[in-house]
Amino acid sequence: MSADPSPTTPPRRAPAGAAVLREDVTDAIRTAVFEELAAVGYARMSIEGIARRAGVGKTAVYRRWKSKLALVLDLVSAVATEGLPAPATGSLYGDVRALLEVAAHALRHPVASQVVPDLLVEATRHPEIADAIKAALLDGQHGVAAVVVRDAVARGELPEGTDVDRALDLIVGPLYWRLVVVRSALPAGYLDGLAVSAVAALRA
């Protein structure tokens, strides 16, 4: 009878050099990308600079992304998948005001205020970035606006057939203009007044 080889067979080991992608390293790299974008912009951003800021070697970055473009597209796409919670305040004004508050908070973030304008410029030269920006900045908010319009129609606050694209333009368009293009501070009561104006325009 042959001996059972299992007790003496050594367990298989992973091949030498096999990459195990630690989540804490990945998170550090993602944070470093946003900080590097805010500090130097996309054009001057480099894998070396990202690795240095994250406290890792370049190989740690390249194991996860093949280029800085792939890295940025991955991060922008991740923003899109997170989405925004649809407000449910019980009134059209309340929902619009809540949506403006969330959007303003995001756009006034010191990193976002540098990264978003820079990526919009790069989007004119890189169709891939343009598509990712559209998904992150438009598609997610379009879904939220659709819920706001649907609920307002159900309550009788808006007529059937209200255009969601127009609603989104009226609600957040002025805010993007003020914070991303003009880049000026919001005076006291600005979001309240903007919400009133947007609701009035939607009902017109």
Side-chain angles (χ1 to χ4, degrees), residues 49-86:
I50 294 169
R52 183 167 54 251
R53 191 179 289 271
V56 300
K58 289 190 299 181
T59 54
V61 181
Y62 282 119
R63 284 194 192 108
R64 293 161 172 81
W65 299 276
K66 63 182 179 180
S67 66
K68 72 172 186 178
L69 178 57
L71 205 170
V72 170
L73 291 181
D74 178 60
L75 294 186
V76 173
S77 297
V79 173
T81 59
E82 290 176 6
L84 293 172

PDB file of all heavy atoms in Angstrom, residues 49-86:
ATOM      1  N   GLY A  49       5.803  61.740  -9.801  1.00  0.00           N
ATOM      2  CA  GLY A  49       5.292  62.658  -8.788  1.00  0.00           C
ATOM      3  C   GLY A  49       4.199  62.042  -7.944  1.00  0.00           C
ATOM      4  O   GLY A  49       4.131  62.248  -6.726  1.00  0.00           O
ATOM      5  N   ILE A  50       3.346  61.255  -8.584  1.00  0.00           N
ATOM      6  CA  ILE A  50       2.274  60.575  -7.851  1.00  0.00           C
ATOM      7  C   ILE A  50       2.861  59.587  -6.851  1.00  0.00           C
ATOM      8  O   ILE A  50       2.461  59.539  -5.688  1.00  0.00           O
ATOM      9  CB  ILE A  50       1.337  59.852  -8.838  1.00  0.00           C
ATOM     10  CG1 ILE A  50       0.586  60.867  -9.703  1.00  0.00           C
ATOM     11  CG2 ILE A  50       0.357  58.952  -8.092  1.00  0.00           C
ATOM     12  CD1 ILE A  50      -0.145  60.260 -10.875  1.00  0.00           C
ATOM     13  N   ALA A  51       3.833  58.792  -7.325  1.00  0.00           N
ATOM     14  CA  ALA A  51       4.452  57.789  -6.459  1.00  0.00           C
ATOM     15  C   ALA A  51       5.148  58.450  -5.271  1.00  0.00           C
ATOM     16  O   ALA A  51       5.034  57.988  -4.127  1.00  0.00           O
ATOM     17  CB  ALA A  51       5.449  56.955  -7.263  1.00  0.00           C
ATOM     18  N   ARG A  52       5.847  59.549  -5.544  1.00  0.00           N
ATOM     19  CA  ARG A  52       6.552  60.247  -4.474  1.00  0.00           C
ATOM     20  C   ARG A  52       5.558  60.785  -3.442  1.00  0.00           C
ATOM     21  O   ARG A  52       5.774  60.664  -2.228  1.00  0.00           O
ATOM     22  CB  ARG A  52       7.390  61.379  -5.064  1.00  0.00           C
ATOM     23  CG  ARG A  52       8.220  62.133  -4.040  1.00  0.00           C
ATOM     24  CD  ARG A  52       9.244  63.011  -4.732  1.00  0.00           C
ATOM     25  NE  ARG A  52       8.629  63.911  -5.715  1.00  0.00           N
ATOM     26  CZ  ARG A  52       8.759  63.787  -7.034  1.00  0.00           C
ATOM     27  NH1 ARG A  52       9.486  62.810  -7.543  1.00  0.00           N
ATOM     28  NH2 ARG A  52       8.175  64.641  -7.857  1.00  0.00           N
ATOM     29  N   ARG A  53       4.469  61.360  -3.905  1.00  0.00           N
ATOM     30  CA  ARG A  53       3.478  61.925  -2.983  1.00  0.00           C
ATOM     31  C   ARG A  53       2.780  60.819  -2.179  1.00  0.00           C
ATOM     32  O   ARG A  53       2.425  61.020  -1.017  1.00  0.00           O
ATOM     33  CB  ARG A  53       2.443  62.736  -3.770  1.00  0.00           C
ATOM     34  CG  ARG A  53       1.521  63.586  -2.913  1.00  0.00           C
ATOM     35  CD  ARG A  53       0.548  64.372  -3.795  1.00  0.00           C
ATOM     36  NE  ARG A  53       1.214  65.430  -4.518  1.00  0.00           N
ATOM     37  CZ  ARG A  53       1.393  66.664  -4.066  1.00  0.00           C
ATOM     38  NH1 ARG A  53       0.960  66.988  -2.855  1.00  0.00           N
ATOM     39  NH2 ARG A  53       1.990  67.589  -4.803  1.00  0.00           N
ATOM     40  N   ALA A  54       2.587  59.646  -2.808  1.00  0.00           N
ATOM     41  CA  ALA A  54       1.928  58.528  -2.133  1.00  0.00           C
ATOM     42  C   ALA A  54       2.868  57.753  -1.230  1.00  0.00           C
ATOM     43  O   ALA A  54       2.429  56.916  -0.436  1.00  0.00           O
ATOM     44  CB  ALA A  54       1.308  57.587  -3.164  1.00  0.00           C
ATOM     45  N   GLY A  55       4.185  58.004  -1.383  1.00  0.00           N
ATOM     46  CA  GLY A  55       5.157  57.273  -0.581  1.00  0.00           C
ATOM     47  C   GLY A  55       5.355  55.844  -1.029  1.00  0.00           C
ATOM     48  O   GLY A  55       5.622  54.956  -0.209  1.00  0.00           O
ATOM     49  N   VAL A  56       5.227  55.622  -2.358  1.00  0.00           N
ATOM     50  CA  VAL A  56       5.416  54.276  -2.907  1.00  0.00           C
ATOM     51  C   VAL A  56       6.366  54.365  -4.096  1.00  0.00           C
ATOM     52  O   VAL A  56       6.731  55.454  -4.548  1.00  0.00           O
ATOM     53  CB  VAL A  56       4.073  53.654  -3.361  1.00  0.00           C
ATOM     54  CG1 VAL A  56       3.111  53.561  -2.190  1.00  0.00           C
ATOM     55  CG2 VAL A  56       3.444  54.470  -4.496  1.00  0.00           C
ATOM     56  N   GLY A  57       6.759  53.212  -4.613  1.00  0.00           N
ATOM     57  CA  GLY A  57       7.583  53.180  -5.807  1.00  0.00           C
ATOM     58  C   GLY A  57       6.731  53.288  -7.072  1.00  0.00           C
ATOM     59  O   GLY A  57       5.524  53.029  -7.038  1.00  0.00           O
ATOM     60  N   LYS A  58       7.363  53.663  -8.186  1.00  0.00           N
ATOM     61  CA  LYS A  58       6.631  53.778  -9.447  1.00  0.00           C
ATOM     62  C   LYS A  58       5.982  52.461  -9.838  1.00  0.00           C
ATOM     63  O   LYS A  58       4.899  52.442 -10.442  1.00  0.00           O
ATOM     64  CB  LYS A  58       7.564  54.244 -10.570  1.00  0.00           C
ATOM     65  CG  LYS A  58       8.009  55.678 -10.473  1.00  0.00           C
ATOM     66  CD  LYS A  58       8.714  56.115 -11.747  1.00  0.00           C
ATOM     67  CE  LYS A  58       9.954  55.276 -12.015  1.00  0.00           C
ATOM     68  NZ  LYS A  58      10.658  55.707 -13.238  1.00  0.00           N
ATOM     69  N   THR A  59       6.632  51.351  -9.518  1.00  0.00           N
ATOM     70  CA  THR A  59       6.088  50.057  -9.910  1.00  0.00           C
ATOM     71  C   THR A  59       4.737  49.797  -9.253  1.00  0.00           C
ATOM     72  O   THR A  59       3.882  49.113  -9.830  1.00  0.00           O
ATOM     73  CB  THR A  59       7.064  48.924  -9.545  1.00  0.00           C
ATOM     74  OG1 THR A  59       7.384  49.007  -8.149  1.00  0.00           O
ATOM     75  CG2 THR A  59       8.337  49.030 -10.364  1.00  0.00           C
ATOM     76  N   ALA A  60       4.552  50.343  -8.042  1.00  0.00           N
ATOM     77  CA  ALA A  60       3.270  50.153  -7.365  1.00  0.00           C
ATOM     78  C   ALA A  60       2.141  50.823  -8.150  1.00  0.00           C
ATOM     79  O   ALA A  60       1.007  50.327  -8.178  1.00  0.00           O
ATOM     80  CB  ALA A  60       3.335  50.727  -5.947  1.00  0.00           C
ATOM     81  N   VAL A  61       2.453  51.946  -8.786  1.00  0.00           N
ATOM     82  CA  VAL A  61       1.462  52.639  -9.605  1.00  0.00           C
ATOM     83  C   VAL A  61       1.211  51.869 -10.893  1.00  0.00           C
ATOM     84  O   VAL A  61       0.061  51.624 -11.290  1.00  0.00           O
ATOM     85  CB  VAL A  61       1.911  54.077  -9.918  1.00  0.00           C
ATOM     86  CG1 VAL A  61       0.848  54.796 -10.762  1.00  0.00           C
ATOM     87  CG2 VAL A  61       2.187  54.853  -8.639  1.00  0.00           C
ATOM     88  N   TYR A  62       2.297  51.464 -11.556  1.00  0.00           N
ATOM     89  CA  TYR A  62       2.169  50.775 -12.844  1.00  0.00           C
ATOM     90  C   TYR A  62       1.526  49.400 -12.709  1.00  0.00           C
ATOM     91  O   TYR A  62       0.987  48.873 -13.689  1.00  0.00           O
ATOM     92  CB  TYR A  62       3.535  50.656 -13.514  1.00  0.00           C
ATOM     93  CG  TYR A  62       3.991  51.935 -14.170  1.00  0.00           C
ATOM     94  CD1 TYR A  62       5.154  52.583 -13.756  1.00  0.00           C
ATOM     95  CD2 TYR A  62       3.250  52.508 -15.201  1.00  0.00           C
ATOM     96  CE1 TYR A  62       5.575  53.763 -14.355  1.00  0.00           C
ATOM     97  CE2 TYR A  62       3.658  53.690 -15.809  1.00  0.00           C
ATOM     98  CZ  TYR A  62       4.824  54.311 -15.388  1.00  0.00           C
ATOM     99  OH  TYR A  62       5.234  55.478 -15.987  1.00  0.00           O
ATOM    100  N   ARG A  63       1.591  48.792 -11.534  1.00  0.00           N
ATOM    101  CA  ARG A  63       0.889  47.516 -11.344  1.00  0.00           C
ATOM    102  C   ARG A  63      -0.621  47.703 -11.429  1.00  0.00           C
ATOM    103  O   ARG A  63      -1.358  46.783 -11.746  1.00  0.00           O
ATOM    104  CB  ARG A  63       1.229  46.914  -9.974  1.00  0.00           C
ATOM    105  CG  ARG A  63       2.602  46.275  -9.875  1.00  0.00           C
ATOM    106  CD  ARG A  63       2.689  45.416  -8.622  1.00  0.00           C
ATOM    107  NE  ARG A  63       4.067  45.014  -8.357  1.00  0.00           N
ATOM    108  CZ  ARG A  63       4.817  45.489  -7.373  1.00  0.00           C
ATOM    109  NH1 ARG A  63       4.326  46.406  -6.569  1.00  0.00           N
ATOM    110  NH2 ARG A  63       6.049  45.070  -7.195  1.00  0.00           N
ATOM    111  N   ARG A  64      -1.073  48.906 -11.130  1.00  0.00           N
ATOM    112  CA  ARG A  64      -2.509  49.177 -11.082  1.00  0.00           C
ATOM    113  C   ARG A  64      -3.023  49.897 -12.324  1.00  0.00           C
ATOM    114  O   ARG A  64      -4.148  49.659 -12.755  1.00  0.00           O
ATOM    115  CB  ARG A  64      -2.817  50.011  -9.821  1.00  0.00           C
ATOM    116  CG  ARG A  64      -2.575  49.232  -8.536  1.00  0.00           C
ATOM    117  CD  ARG A  64      -2.419  50.160  -7.342  1.00  0.00           C
ATOM    118  NE  ARG A  64      -2.364  49.431  -6.073  1.00  0.00           N
ATOM    119  CZ  ARG A  64      -1.265  48.842  -5.614  1.00  0.00           C
ATOM    120  NH1 ARG A  64      -0.123  48.903  -6.304  1.00  0.00           N
ATOM    121  NH2 ARG A  64      -1.276  48.180  -4.470  1.00  0.00           N
ATOM    122  N   TRP A  65      -2.233  50.788 -12.880  1.00  0.00           N
ATOM    123  CA  TRP A  65      -2.631  51.555 -14.062  1.00  0.00           C
ATOM    124  C   TRP A  65      -1.451  51.653 -15.023  1.00  0.00           C
ATOM    125  O   TRP A  65      -0.312  51.868 -14.593  1.00  0.00           O
ATOM    126  CB  TRP A  65      -3.074  52.969 -13.659  1.00  0.00           C
ATOM    127  CG  TRP A  65      -4.247  52.988 -12.735  1.00  0.00           C
ATOM    128  CD1 TRP A  65      -5.560  52.919 -13.062  1.00  0.00           C
ATOM    129  CD2 TRP A  65      -4.211  53.118 -11.303  1.00  0.00           C
ATOM    130  NE1 TRP A  65      -6.349  52.969 -11.936  1.00  0.00           N
ATOM    131  CE2 TRP A  65      -5.556  53.097 -10.842  1.00  0.00           C
ATOM    132  CE3 TRP A  65      -3.181  53.240 -10.372  1.00  0.00           C
ATOM    133  CZ2 TRP A  65      -5.885  53.198  -9.489  1.00  0.00           C
ATOM    134  CZ3 TRP A  65      -3.505  53.327  -9.031  1.00  0.00           C
ATOM    135  CH2 TRP A  65      -4.838  53.318  -8.600  1.00  0.00           C
ATOM    136  N   LYS A  66      -1.731  51.546 -16.311  1.00  0.00           N
ATOM    137  CA  LYS A  66      -0.653  51.525 -17.293  1.00  0.00           C
ATOM    138  C   LYS A  66      -0.130  52.911 -17.638  1.00  0.00           C
ATOM    139  O   LYS A  66       0.955  53.055 -18.208  1.00  0.00           O
ATOM    140  CB  LYS A  66      -1.117  50.827 -18.573  1.00  0.00           C
ATOM    141  CG  LYS A  66      -2.259  51.538 -19.288  1.00  0.00           C
ATOM    142  CD  LYS A  66      -2.697  50.768 -20.523  1.00  0.00           C
ATOM    143  CE  LYS A  66      -3.853  51.467 -21.236  1.00  0.00           C
ATOM    144  NZ  LYS A  66      -4.281  50.719 -22.443  1.00  0.00           N
ATOM    145  N   SER A  67      -0.896  53.954 -17.323  1.00  0.00           N
ATOM    146  CA  SER A  67      -0.469  55.316 -17.656  1.00  0.00           C
ATOM    147  C   SER A  67      -1.220  56.301 -16.775  1.00  0.00           C
ATOM    148  O   SER A  67      -2.199  55.934 -16.107  1.00  0.00           O
ATOM    149  CB  SER A  67      -0.768  55.636 -19.126  1.00  0.00           C
ATOM    150  OG  SER A  67      -2.180  55.661 -19.347  1.00  0.00           O
ATOM    151  N   LYS A  68      -0.793  57.554 -16.788  1.00  0.00           N
ATOM    152  CA  LYS A  68      -1.492  58.549 -15.981  1.00  0.00           C
ATOM    153  C   LYS A  68      -2.889  58.819 -16.536  1.00  0.00           C
ATOM    154  O   LYS A  68      -3.816  59.120 -15.786  1.00  0.00           O
ATOM    155  CB  LYS A  68      -0.681  59.842 -15.882  1.00  0.00           C
ATOM    156  CG  LYS A  68      -0.620  60.690 -17.149  1.00  0.00           C
ATOM    157  CD  LYS A  68       0.055  62.024 -16.862  1.00  0.00           C
ATOM    158  CE  LYS A  68       0.011  62.964 -18.069  1.00  0.00           C
ATOM    159  NZ  LYS A  68       0.620  64.272 -17.760  1.00  0.00           N
ATOM    160  N   LEU A  69      -3.055  58.703 -17.864  1.00  0.00           N
ATOM    161  CA  LEU A  69      -4.378  58.881 -18.447  1.00  0.00           C
ATOM    162  C   LEU A  69      -5.325  57.795 -17.956  1.00  0.00           C
ATOM    163  O   LEU A  69      -6.457  58.077 -17.548  1.00  0.00           O
ATOM    164  CB  LEU A  69      -4.295  58.847 -19.974  1.00  0.00           C
ATOM    165  CG  LEU A  69      -5.628  58.973 -20.719  1.00  0.00           C
ATOM    166  CD1 LEU A  69      -6.352  60.253 -20.336  1.00  0.00           C
ATOM    167  CD2 LEU A  69      -5.406  58.908 -22.224  1.00  0.00           C
ATOM    168  N   ALA A  70      -4.867  56.541 -17.960  1.00  0.00           N
ATOM    169  CA  ALA A  70      -5.697  55.441 -17.469  1.00  0.00           C
ATOM    170  C   ALA A  70      -6.043  55.645 -16.002  1.00  0.00           C
ATOM    171  O   ALA A  70      -7.171  55.353 -15.567  1.00  0.00           O
ATOM    172  CB  ALA A  70      -4.967  54.119 -17.662  1.00  0.00           C
ATOM    173  N   LEU A  71      -5.098  56.164 -15.233  1.00  0.00           N
ATOM    174  CA  LEU A  71      -5.311  56.399 -13.804  1.00  0.00           C
ATOM    175  C   LEU A  71      -6.392  57.450 -13.591  1.00  0.00           C
ATOM    176  O   LEU A  71      -7.332  57.251 -12.821  1.00  0.00           O
ATOM    177  CB  LEU A  71      -3.986  56.840 -13.181  1.00  0.00           C
ATOM    178  CG  LEU A  71      -3.764  56.597 -11.681  1.00  0.00           C
ATOM    179  CD1 LEU A  71      -2.321  56.883 -11.317  1.00  0.00           C
ATOM    180  CD2 LEU A  71      -4.690  57.419 -10.837  1.00  0.00           C
ATOM    181  N   VAL A  72      -6.278  58.570 -14.293  1.00  0.00           N
ATOM    182  CA  VAL A  72      -7.239  59.657 -14.130  1.00  0.00           C
ATOM    183  C   VAL A  72      -8.623  59.222 -14.596  1.00  0.00           C
ATOM    184  O   VAL A  72      -9.636  59.517 -13.947  1.00  0.00           O
ATOM    185  CB  VAL A  72      -6.766  60.907 -14.891  1.00  0.00           C
ATOM    186  CG1 VAL A  72      -7.868  61.960 -14.929  1.00  0.00           C
ATOM    187  CG2 VAL A  72      -5.528  61.490 -14.233  1.00  0.00           C
ATOM    188  N   LEU A  73      -8.692  58.500 -15.715  1.00  0.00           N
ATOM    189  CA  LEU A  73      -9.982  58.038 -16.215  1.00  0.00           C
ATOM    190  C   LEU A  73     -10.639  57.090 -15.212  1.00  0.00           C
ATOM    191  O   LEU A  73     -11.861  57.133 -15.022  1.00  0.00           O
ATOM    192  CB  LEU A  73      -9.808  57.330 -17.556  1.00  0.00           C
ATOM    193  CG  LEU A  73      -9.403  58.218 -18.736  1.00  0.00           C
ATOM    194  CD1 LEU A  73      -9.287  57.391 -20.003  1.00  0.00           C
ATOM    195  CD2 LEU A  73     -10.401  59.343 -18.938  1.00  0.00           C
ATOM    196  N   ASP A  74      -9.847  56.265 -14.578  1.00  0.00           N
ATOM    197  CA  ASP A  74     -10.384  55.336 -13.587  1.00  0.00           C
ATOM    198  C   ASP A  74     -10.973  56.094 -12.406  1.00  0.00           C
ATOM    199  O   ASP A  74     -12.062  55.774 -11.925  1.00  0.00           O
ATOM    200  CB  ASP A  74      -9.275  54.392 -13.115  1.00  0.00           C
ATOM    201  CG  ASP A  74      -9.764  53.433 -12.038  1.00  0.00           C
ATOM    202  OD1 ASP A  74     -10.693  52.663 -12.317  1.00  0.00           O
ATOM    203  OD2 ASP A  74      -9.212  53.456 -10.921  1.00  0.00           O
ATOM    204  N   LEU A  75     -10.276  57.133 -11.951  1.00  0.00           N
ATOM    205  CA  LEU A  75     -10.759  57.897 -10.810  1.00  0.00           C
ATOM    206  C   LEU A  75     -12.018  58.677 -11.152  1.00  0.00           C
ATOM    207  O   LEU A  75     -12.963  58.733 -10.370  1.00  0.00           O
ATOM    208  CB  LEU A  75      -9.671  58.856 -10.315  1.00  0.00           C
ATOM    209  CG  LEU A  75      -8.418  58.204  -9.730  1.00  0.00           C
ATOM    210  CD1 LEU A  75      -7.507  59.264  -9.142  1.00  0.00           C
ATOM    211  CD2 LEU A  75      -8.786  57.203  -8.652  1.00  0.00           C
ATOM    212  N   VAL A  76     -12.031  59.293 -12.347  1.00  0.00           N
ATOM    213  CA  VAL A  76     -13.207  60.066 -12.757  1.00  0.00           C
ATOM    214  C   VAL A  76     -14.410  59.141 -12.914  1.00  0.00           C
ATOM    215  O   VAL A  76     -15.530  59.471 -12.511  1.00  0.00           O
ATOM    216  CB  VAL A  76     -12.925  60.820 -14.064  1.00  0.00           C
ATOM    217  CG1 VAL A  76     -14.190  61.481 -14.588  1.00  0.00           C
ATOM    218  CG2 VAL A  76     -11.853  61.883 -13.838  1.00  0.00           C
ATOM    219  N   SER A  77     -14.189  57.966 -13.483  1.00  0.00           N
ATOM    220  CA  SER A  77     -15.275  57.002 -13.646  1.00  0.00           C
ATOM    221  C   SER A  77     -15.791  56.526 -12.300  1.00  0.00           C
ATOM    222  O   SER A  77     -16.984  56.277 -12.133  1.00  0.00           O
ATOM    223  CB  SER A  77     -14.799  55.803 -14.473  1.00  0.00           C
ATOM    224  OG  SER A  77     -14.439  56.203 -15.770  1.00  0.00           O
ATOM    225  N   ALA A  78     -14.895  56.396 -11.317  1.00  0.00           N
ATOM    226  CA  ALA A  78     -15.311  55.968  -9.981  1.00  0.00           C
ATOM    227  C   ALA A  78     -16.246  56.991  -9.359  1.00  0.00           C
ATOM    228  O   ALA A  78     -17.198  56.639  -8.650  1.00  0.00           O
ATOM    229  CB  ALA A  78     -14.091  55.761  -9.092  1.00  0.00           C
ATOM    230  N   VAL A  79     -15.999  58.269  -9.626  1.00  0.00           N
ATOM    231  CA  VAL A  79     -16.882  59.320  -9.125  1.00  0.00           C
ATOM    232  C   VAL A  79     -18.280  59.137  -9.699  1.00  0.00           C
ATOM    233  O   VAL A  79     -19.292  59.301  -9.009  1.00  0.00           O
ATOM    234  CB  VAL A  79     -16.332  60.712  -9.486  1.00  0.00           C
ATOM    235  CG1 VAL A  79     -17.339  61.798  -9.126  1.00  0.00           C
ATOM    236  CG2 VAL A  79     -15.013  60.956  -8.767  1.00  0.00           C
ATOM    237  N   ALA A  80     -18.340  58.770 -10.976  1.00  0.00           N
ATOM    238  CA  ALA A  80     -19.628  58.598 -11.633  1.00  0.00           C
ATOM    239  C   ALA A  80     -20.420  57.458 -11.013  1.00  0.00           C
ATOM    240  O   ALA A  80     -21.640  57.538 -10.863  1.00  0.00           O
ATOM    241  CB  ALA A  80     -19.427  58.337 -13.119  1.00  0.00           C
ATOM    242  N   THR A  81     -19.741  56.367 -10.661  1.00  0.00           N
ATOM    243  CA  THR A  81     -20.455  55.209 -10.130  1.00  0.00           C
ATOM    244  C   THR A  81     -20.955  55.457  -8.713  1.00  0.00           C
ATOM    245  O   THR A  81     -21.918  54.824  -8.272  1.00  0.00           O
ATOM    246  CB  THR A  81     -19.550  53.959 -10.122  1.00  0.00           C
ATOM    247  OG1 THR A  81     -18.385  54.210  -9.320  1.00  0.00           O
ATOM    248  CG2 THR A  81     -19.111  53.618 -11.536  1.00  0.00           C
ATOM    249  N   GLU A  82     -20.333  56.386  -8.005  1.00  0.00           N
ATOM    250  CA  GLU A  82     -20.805  56.686  -6.651  1.00  0.00           C
ATOM    251  C   GLU A  82     -22.172  57.355  -6.693  1.00  0.00           C
ATOM    252  O   GLU A  82     -23.050  57.065  -5.916  1.00  0.00           O
ATOM    253  CB  GLU A  82     -19.809  57.595  -5.929  1.00  0.00           C
ATOM    254  CG  GLU A  82     -18.500  56.911  -5.573  1.00  0.00           C
ATOM    255  CD  GLU A  82     -17.524  57.870  -4.947  1.00  0.00           C
ATOM    256  OE1 GLU A  82     -17.911  59.037  -4.692  1.00  0.00           O
ATOM    257  OE2 GLU A  82     -16.376  57.481  -4.703  1.00  0.00           O
ATOM    258  N   GLY A  83     -22.346  58.276  -7.650  1.00  0.00           N
ATOM    259  CA  GLY A  83     -23.632  58.937  -7.800  1.00  0.00           C
ATOM    260  C   GLY A  83     -23.944  59.896  -6.664  1.00  0.00           C
ATOM    261  O   GLY A  83     -23.206  60.026  -5.694  1.00  0.00           O
ATOM    262  N   LEU A  84     -25.060  60.583  -6.788  1.00  0.00           N
ATOM    263  CA  LEU A  84     -25.518  61.510  -5.770  1.00  0.00           C
ATOM    264  C   LEU A  84     -26.842  61.001  -5.212  1.00  0.00           C
ATOM    265  O   LEU A  84     -27.683  60.510  -5.972  1.00  0.00           O
ATOM    266  CB  LEU A  84     -25.734  62.909  -6.383  1.00  0.00           C
ATOM    267  CG  LEU A  84     -24.495  63.644  -6.872  1.00  0.00           C
ATOM    268  CD1 LEU A  84     -24.915  64.903  -7.629  1.00  0.00           C
ATOM    269  CD2 LEU A  84     -23.603  64.015  -5.714  1.00  0.00           C
ATOM    270  N   PRO A  85     -27.051  61.105  -3.908  1.00  0.00           N
ATOM    271  CA  PRO A  85     -28.342  60.683  -3.374  1.00  0.00           C
ATOM    272  C   PRO A  85     -29.437  61.637  -3.829  1.00  0.00           C
ATOM    273  O   PRO A  85     -29.280  62.857  -3.759  1.00  0.00           O
ATOM    274  CB  PRO A  85     -28.123  60.755  -1.861  1.00  0.00           C
ATOM    275  CG  PRO A  85     -27.026  61.756  -1.678  1.00  0.00           C
ATOM    276  CD  PRO A  85     -26.136  61.610  -2.881  1.00  0.00           C
ATOM    277  N   ALA A  86     -30.526  61.091  -4.329  1.00  0.00           N
ATOM    278  CA  ALA A  86     -31.634  61.945  -4.769  1.00  0.00           C
ATOM    279  C   ALA A  86     -32.321  62.529  -3.535  1.00  0.00           C
ATOM    280  O   ALA A  86     -32.685  61.785  -2.616  1.00  0.00           O
ATOM    281  CB  ALA A  86     -32.615  61.135  -5.599  1.00  0.00           C
TER     282      ALA A  86
END
